[in-house]
């Protein structure tokens, strides 16, 4: 079998050790194009570490991570972003004192060269792109508002928008609905189902109802390894999963 894959993302035999403790242990994970994958598992299962490894924040101890069939193990974080991987952390990192418009505008990829960055101006094209994204993230009427005045859920959406405007092929979200109201969670589910029309999304989440409303495939991590994988129903019915997770 050749080492080439049709997967958008392939983690093979990935291990990361912190002082001898294997936070991720010989992990294999494959994500298809236009797939919404949810990773669940008890605390300490290695979920956030997996995202850290993919985005280059944590270095792989052994194993390989390929994105679009290119090895990204060892690439710097910025390089991985440029290749098309966007990552949202648990706490929203937005510019509180800037408006929603300015937050989105700042996140637009500038020209790939210095000249492009220097002659950057607020063209009609920029405005149209910002408005298009604002509409997707339920903030079309909030463009003039300072980001600090948004609700918690709206801040989370803004941050997702700041990633979307960069048009990544893979978007990774760490607990995107934590602290959201029920209606905000429903809107976030609709947003994610919309986003995957032309990209893949990996979500780490604890809220099982939310997981049910979005996941194509669910991967259950336990002690840094894949315990089970499949659709939500088969994962929920899996006795090993019940034992480590759903029973608690």
């Amino acid at each position: 079998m050749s080492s080439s894959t049709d997967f958008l993302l392939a983690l093979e035999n990935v291990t990361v050790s912190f002082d001898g403790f294997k936070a991720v242990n010989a992990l294999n994970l494959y994500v298809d194009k236009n797939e919404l994958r949810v990773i669940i598992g008890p605390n300490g299962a290695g979920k956030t570490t997996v995202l850290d490894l993919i985005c280059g924040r944590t270095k792989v101890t052994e194993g390989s991570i390929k994105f679009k069939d290119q090895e990204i193990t060892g690439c710097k974080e910025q390089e991985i972003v440029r290749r098309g991987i966007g990552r949202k952390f648990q706490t929203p990192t937005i510019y509180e004192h800037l408006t929603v418009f300015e937050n989105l505008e700042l996140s637009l990829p500038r020209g790939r060269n210095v000249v492009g960055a220097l002659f950057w101006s607020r063209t009609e094209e920029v405005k149209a792109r910002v408005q298009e994204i604002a509409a997707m993230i339920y903030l079309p009427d909030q463009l003039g508002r300072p980001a600090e005045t948004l609700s918690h859920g709206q801040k989370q959406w803004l941050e997702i928008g700041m990633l979307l405007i960069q048009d990544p092929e893979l978007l990774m979200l760490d607990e995107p609905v934590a602290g959201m109201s029920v209606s905000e969670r429903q809107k976030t589910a609709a947003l994610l189902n919309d986003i995957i029309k032309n990209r893949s999304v990996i979500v780490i989440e604890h809220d099982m109802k939310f997981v049910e409303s979005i996941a194509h495939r669910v991967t259950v991590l336990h002690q840094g390894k894949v315990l089970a994988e499949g659709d939500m129903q088969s994962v929920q019915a899996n006795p090993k999963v019940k034992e480590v997770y759903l029973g608690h």
Side-chain angles (χ1 to χ4, degrees):
M1 188 184 139
S2 78
S3 63
S4 144
T5 70
D6 293 332
F7 297 105
L8 183 70
L9 180 75
L11 279 70
E12 296 194 316
N13 206 27
V14 169
T15 296
V16 64
S17 304
F18 301 118
D19 301 326
F21 166 71
K22 290 184 175 174
V24 171
N25 189 358
L27 178 75
N28 292 311
L29 183 72
Y30 302 93
V31 177
D32 281 320
K33 295 182 176 84
N34 305 340
E35 177 185 356
L36 210 166
R37 173 71 60 95
V38 181
I39 300 177
I40 63 173
N43 286 335
K47 300 184 297 294
T48 298
T49 306
V50 169
L51 298 196
D52 287 343
L53 292 168
I54 296 166
C55 76
R57 200 176 206 205
T58 299
K59 294 288 166 248
V60 171
T61 309
E62 56 189 87
S64 144
I65 301 179
K66 285 197 176 90
F67 179 64
K68 297 198 295 187
D69 231 5
Q70 302 284 309
E71 189 70 51
I72 57 169
T73 319
C75 287
K76 295 195 165 58
E77 284 187 69
Q78 266 318 103
E79 164 65 18
I80 291 172
V81 169
R82 278 197 296 272
R83 287 184 183 214
I85 296 179
R87 159 89 183 268
K88 180 188 169 333
F89 295 91
Q90 282 172 341
T91 349
T93 43
I94 56 175
Y95 304 103
E96 294 271 345
H97 300 303
L98 298 180
T99 63
V100 169
F101 188 101
E102 289 162 339
N103 269 279
L104 291 170
E105 183 185 35
L106 266 178
S107 306
L108 261 168
R110 301 292 184 261
R112 290 277 182 243
N113 54 26
V114 180
V115 177
L118 282 176
F119 293 102
W120 179 255
S121 66
R122 193 174 277 189
T123 59
E124 288 309 310
E125 196 185 354
V126 169
K127 286 186 198 161
R129 181 75 178 132
V130 167
Q131 279 157 348
E132 178 195 356
I133 295 293
M136 276 184 83
I137 57 170
Y138 313 116
L139 300 174
D141 308 329
Q142 315 291 337
L143 285 169
R145 267 179 79 174
E148 63 189 345
T149 65
L150 298 173
S151 73
H152 171 73
Q154 288 173 323
K155 286 178 181 175
Q156 299 278 30
W157 294 335
L158 175 56
E159 197 183 8
I160 292 173
M162 289 162 73
L163 288 170
L164 281 179
I165 206 162
Q166 298 169 31
D167 207 19
E169 286 178 69
L170 173 65
L171 189 59
M172 303 192 294
L173 309 175
D174 203 343
E175 296 191 38
V177 296
M180 281 192 184
S181 69
V182 173
S183 69
E184 285 175 336
R185 284 167 193 235
Q186 287 166 345
K187 284 174 112 167
T188 304
L191 171 62
L192 295 186
N193 282 314
D194 193 28
I195 287 172
I196 48 162
K197 290 186 183 131
N198 50 3
R199 64 178 55 79
S200 299
V201 183
I202 297 176
V203 179
I204 287 177
E205 194 45 71
H206 284 291
D207 179 324
M208 286 303 156
K209 254 189 116 51
F210 181 71
V211 173
E212 279 176 44
S213 65
I214 59 164
H216 291 178
R217 282 175 77 76
V218 179
T219 297
V220 186
L221 288 190
H222 181 51
Q223 295 173 346
K225 279 176 131 63
V226 174
L227 179 73
E229 200 165 72
D231 61 31
M232 189 66 185
Q233 283 160 317
S234 68
V235 162
Q236 278 178 320
N238 185 312
K240 286 187 295 188
V241 174
K242 282 184 179 159
E243 193 181 322
V244 308
Y245 195 49
L246 301 166
H248 293 299

